[in-house]
């Protein structure tokens, strides 16, 4: 006679089944964040030896398994089995020490089946190990992929997570089946692109506005540039999120991001990165070689920021300001418009101040005085950040004033003294942004906040209206005196 049903162990696959993520890819990105050269070298040398690859990446990563997102429905099945007195065992192709830690984190059986650095316990090998331990049809098994079919064939009940084709196959042979929805949604993938951040790329319009070049051809070129830059920025956001998985899971809001929460598999993020990069570079090349160079440099600098520079105090803020400023340079390259050096001297300190505002907001909203996860700042740094932000505001306003004496300004603006008047709402806007950051009344990204802040938008429009009037554009467009 067979064993009593309640004594049969429940065996759970880990990657994509018990977890809403994959430990191998978690280790790869955690390793890449800690030691990029060693992680890439290890991955390249062990591509054909997955067991060794998993072991070496796990050694670099030092992964926190307690933070890894779980599949709630599978956890519920596991808890129900435990309440019936059944043993719940993890069986995974992931590296054994990590699987053992995961089992301990969730109060599962200390007995696990996993890869050991030499043997990659997957598919038929896993099936053989389970049959040897428990016997055929003497265990229930939960998995999520076609590679698990060899194991379901040897199990009593099959628990299939998200793999409809395998579930139909199990049903066709009359085997007991439990379905768990699992999977991911396109809208979560799109959410991982952070489309709300694309609003930053309106900065590419700044050279066109500054030069008063409002013809259709210039506008189309600028809009194509915005498309390319949006794809480039989204590709880097994906990388940034994959590198920041642990820090995001420790963050009160960022833990809900698609990769941190497990809503989107890491593999899908990697494929999306390749696709978005191709779009960005393809559109950029179609516009001009100079614009392609700016986009490529932006992506390289952004990757360096994600991998290393964002963890370096003050350097991170300077790089953030440079990345924002590059959008203006990109707008000039896309449209072929000459950009005054004074414009660049003006915008860099503006974005330097806004970079400080970003960190001030994060520190003000932090729940402790400890350094921010993945950043080099703690609450004691707030006064220094405020001082640097104030210097940025002053430098920007001085540059704006000096611009009014250049030949370009003399040629563009008929009533130059109005440029000085325009500094009043501009100064008000910048000081207000710094104040809101200091008091924690902003979102975590000052540029995105600025695009939604009605009062701030009013001040920017007031600045532009005065400058357009000084240039005689209102008179030209509407006959206004």
């Amino acid at each position: 006679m067979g064993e009593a049903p309640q004594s049969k162990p429940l065996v759970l696959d880990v990657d994509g089944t018990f977890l809403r993520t994959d430990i191998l890819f978690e280790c790869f990105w955690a390793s890449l964040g800690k030691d990029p050269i060693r992680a890439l070298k290890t991955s390249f040398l062990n591509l054909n030896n997955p067991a060794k690859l998993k072991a070496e990446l796990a050694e670099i990563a030092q992964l926190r398994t307690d933070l890894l997102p779980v599949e709630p429905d599978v956890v519920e099945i596991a808890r129900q089995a435990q309440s019936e007195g059944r043993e719940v065992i993890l069986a995974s192709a992931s590296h054994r020490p990590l699987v053992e830690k995961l089992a301990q984190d969730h109060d599962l059986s200390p007995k696990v089946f996993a890869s050991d650095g030499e043997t990659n316990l997957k598919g038929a090998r896993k099936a053989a190990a389970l049959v040897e331990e428990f016997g055929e049809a003497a265990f229930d098994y939960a998995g999520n992929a076609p590679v698990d079919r060899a194991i379901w064939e040897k199990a009593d009940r099959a628990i299939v997570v998200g793999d409809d084709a395998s579930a139909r196959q199990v049903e066709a042979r009359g085997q007991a089946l439990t379905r768990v929805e699992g999977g991911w949604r396109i809208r979560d993938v799109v959410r991982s692109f952070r489309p709300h951040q694309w609003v930053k790329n309106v900065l590419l319009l700044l050279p066109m506005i500054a030069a008063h070049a409002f013809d259709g051809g210039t506008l189309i070129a600028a809009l194509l540039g915005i498309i390319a830059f949006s794809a480039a920025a989204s590709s880097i956001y994906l990388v940034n999120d994959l590198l920041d998985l642990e820090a995001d899971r420790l963050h009160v809001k960022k833990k809900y991001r698609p990769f941190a929460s497990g809503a989107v598999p890491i593999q899908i993020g990697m494929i999306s990165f390749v696709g978005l990069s191709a779009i960005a570079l393809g559109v950029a090349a179609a516009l001009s070689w100079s614009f392609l160079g700016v986009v490529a440099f932006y992506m390289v600098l952004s990757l360096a920021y994600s991998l290393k520079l964002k963890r370096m105090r003050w350097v991170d803020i300077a790089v953030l300001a440079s990345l924002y400023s590059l959008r203006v340079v990109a707008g000039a390259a896309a449209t072929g418009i000459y950009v005054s050096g004074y414009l660049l001297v003006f915008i860099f300190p503006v974005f330097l101040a806004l970079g400080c505002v970003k960190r001030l907001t994060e520190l003000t909203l932090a729940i402790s005085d400890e350094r921010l996860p993945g950043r080099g700042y703690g609450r004691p740094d707030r006064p220094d950040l405020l001082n640097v932000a104030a210097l940025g505001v002053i430098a920007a306003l001085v540059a704006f004033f000096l611009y009014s004496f250049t030949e370009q300004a003399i040629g563009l603006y008929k009533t130059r003294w109005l440029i000085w008047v325009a500094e009043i709402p501009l100064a008000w806007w910048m000081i207000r942004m710094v104040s809101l950051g200091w008091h924690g009344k902003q979102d975590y990204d000052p540029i995105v906040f600025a695009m939604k802040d009605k009062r701030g938008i009013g001040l920017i429009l007031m600045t532009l209206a005065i400058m357009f009037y000084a240039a005689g554009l209102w008179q030209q467009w509407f006959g206004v005196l």
Side-chain angles (χ1 to χ4, degrees):
M1 294 181 64
E3 296 178 83
Q6 63 269 24
S7 67
K8 285 183 181 177
L10 170 62
V11 181
L12 305 176
D13 178 41
V14 172
D15 302 319
T17 302
F18 183 71
L19 293 180
R20 302 184 73 190
T21 187
D22 186 295
I23 288 180
L24 171 60
F25 289 103
E26 291 274 349
C27 285
F28 171 76
W29 285 98
S31 300
L32 200 61
K34 291 180 179 178
D35 193 339
I37 295 176
R38 184 181 172 192
L40 292 173
K41 182 179 178 181
T42 297
S43 300
F44 179 76
L45 293 177
N46 296 291
L47 276 177
N48 296 320
N49 189 347
K52 187 177 180 183
L53 172 64
K54 293 169 184 178
E56 294 197 7
L57 286 179
E59 182 182 342
I60 302 170
Q62 298 296 308
L63 203 64
R64 281 194 58 176
T65 54
D66 60 311
L67 296 176
L68 299 178
V70 296
E71 180 61 59
D73 292 338
V74 175
V75 171
E76 179 60 29
I77 291 171
R79 298 303 177 220
Q80 179 62 34
Q82 286 179 319
S83 70
E84 296 169 358
R86 300 172 62 189
E87 189 176 18
V88 179
I89 300 168
L90 297 181
S92 173
S94 294
H95 191 48
R96 174 177 289 276
L98 292 177
V99 178
E100 289 174 339
K101 283 174 59 182
L102 185 67
Q104 184 178 10
D105 293 335
H106 295 277
D107 297 320
L108 305 179
S109 173
K111 179 193 296 182
V112 301
F113 296 82
S115 299
D116 58 8
E118 295 181 3
T119 301
N120 191 40
L121 197 73
K122 191 173 184 178
R125 285 180 178 171
K126 188 192 291 187
L130 293 175
V131 169
E132 181 180 354
E133 179 72 20
F134 304 115
E136 196 164 328
F139 61 92
D140 294 342
Y141 179 76
N144 71 299
V147 72
D148 293 311
R149 292 175 183 177
I151 309 164
W152 283 317
E153 289 177 0
K154 303 297 183 182
D156 182 19
R157 172 175 289 275
I159 301 166
V160 181
V161 180
D163 185 359
D164 290 336
S166 293
R168 289 193 296 271
Q169 189 182 87
V170 169
E171 281 183 321
R173 62 172 176 261
Q175 187 177 4
L177 170 69
T178 298
R179 287 176 180 258
V180 176
E181 184 177 350
W184 49 274
R185 298 173 297 183
I186 290 294
R187 70 180 182 183
D188 286 324
V189 178
V190 173
R191 185 163 61 92
S192 73
F193 297 168
R194 301 195 209 175
H196 63 284
Q197 298 278 8
W198 294 345
V199 71
K200 294 178 183 178
N201 297 319
V202 299
L203 292 170
L204 273 79
L205 299 175
L206 191 55
M208 182 184 78
I209 295 171
H212 306 162
F214 298 110
D215 60 283
T218 301
L219 179 60
I220 290 172
L223 292 177
L224 287 173
I226 288 173
I227 291 172
F229 235 78
S230 295
S234 288
S235 72
I236 303 304
Y237 292 142
L238 292 175
V239 173
N240 188 68
D241 285 356
L242 293 173
L243 289 168
D244 271 357
L245 288 170
E246 182 177 309
D248 284 353
R249 287 166 184 156
L250 291 168
H251 194 279
V252 64
K253 288 187 177 180
K254 294 179 183 180
K255 65 182 178 182
Y256 298 112
R257 284 178 172 175
F259 301 115
S261 67
V264 178
I266 292 175
Q267 302 93 306
I268 299 300
M270 295 167 71
I271 293 169
S272 299
F273 165 76
V274 174
L276 289 169
S277 298
I279 291 171
L281 297 174
V283 174
L287 277 173
S288 72
W289 289 110
S290 60
F291 181 63
L292 175 62
V294 175
V295 172
F297 180 68
Y298 169 84
M299 293 178 70
V300 170
L301 184 59
S302 296
L303 283 172
Y305 174 79
S306 296
L307 285 168
K308 183 70 175 178
L309 300 179
K310 69 181 178 184
R311 297 173 180 83
M312 300 173 65
R313 287 161 51 86
W314 305 114
V315 172
D316 67 320
I317 292 175
V319 174
L320 273 177
S322 299
L323 291 172
Y324 286 131
S325 301
L326 274 174
R327 287 172 163 86
V328 179
V329 176
T335 57
I337 292 173
Y338 168 75
V339 174
S340 165
Y342 276 96
L343 178 60
L344 297 177
V345 172
F346 163 69
I347 62 172
F348 183 82
V350 170
F351 295 132
L352 188 69
L354 293 181
C356 292
V357 168
K358 181 180 176 71
R359 295 291 176 252
L360 279 172
T361 301
E362 292 172 342
L363 291 172
T364 303
L365 297 177
I367 58 176
S368 73
D369 288 339
E370 296 180 3
R371 293 194 182 278
L372 296 173
R375 300 291 187 268
Y377 302 90
R379 279 186 177 174
D381 295 309
R382 291 178 73 239
D384 289 338
L385 285 164
L386 180 63
N387 290 336
V388 174
L391 288 173
V393 171
I394 294 169
L397 294 175
V398 169
F400 192 89
F401 176 75
L402 293 176
Y403 168 73
S404 68
F405 295 96
T406 65
E407 290 185 10
Q408 185 183 49
I410 293 171
L412 287 175
Y413 297 97
K414 298 177 181 179
T415 314
R416 274 196 307 139
W417 64 269
L418 283 175
I419 301 179
W420 308 331
V421 175
E423 281 208 71
I424 297 173
L426 178 63
W428 186 358
W429 176 77
M430 294 180 68
I431 293 169
R432 182 171 181 274
M433 288 289 288
V434 174
S435 176
L436 290 173
W438 174 260
H439 292 100
K441 294 181 179 179
Q442 281 200 32
D443 198 347
Y444 286 96
D445 193 305
I447 300 296
V448 174
F449 172 83
M451 298 300 179
K452 298 184 294 184
D453 176 34
K454 293 180 181 179
R455 185 174 298 179
I457 291 172
L459 291 170
I460 293 296
L461 291 177
M462 190 183 302
T463 303
L464 291 175
I466 295 171
M467 294 187 70
F468 286 169
Y469 189 87
L473 293 177
W474 291 127
Q475 298 91 322
Q476 178 182 330
W477 294 338
F478 308 111
V480 178
L481 296 177

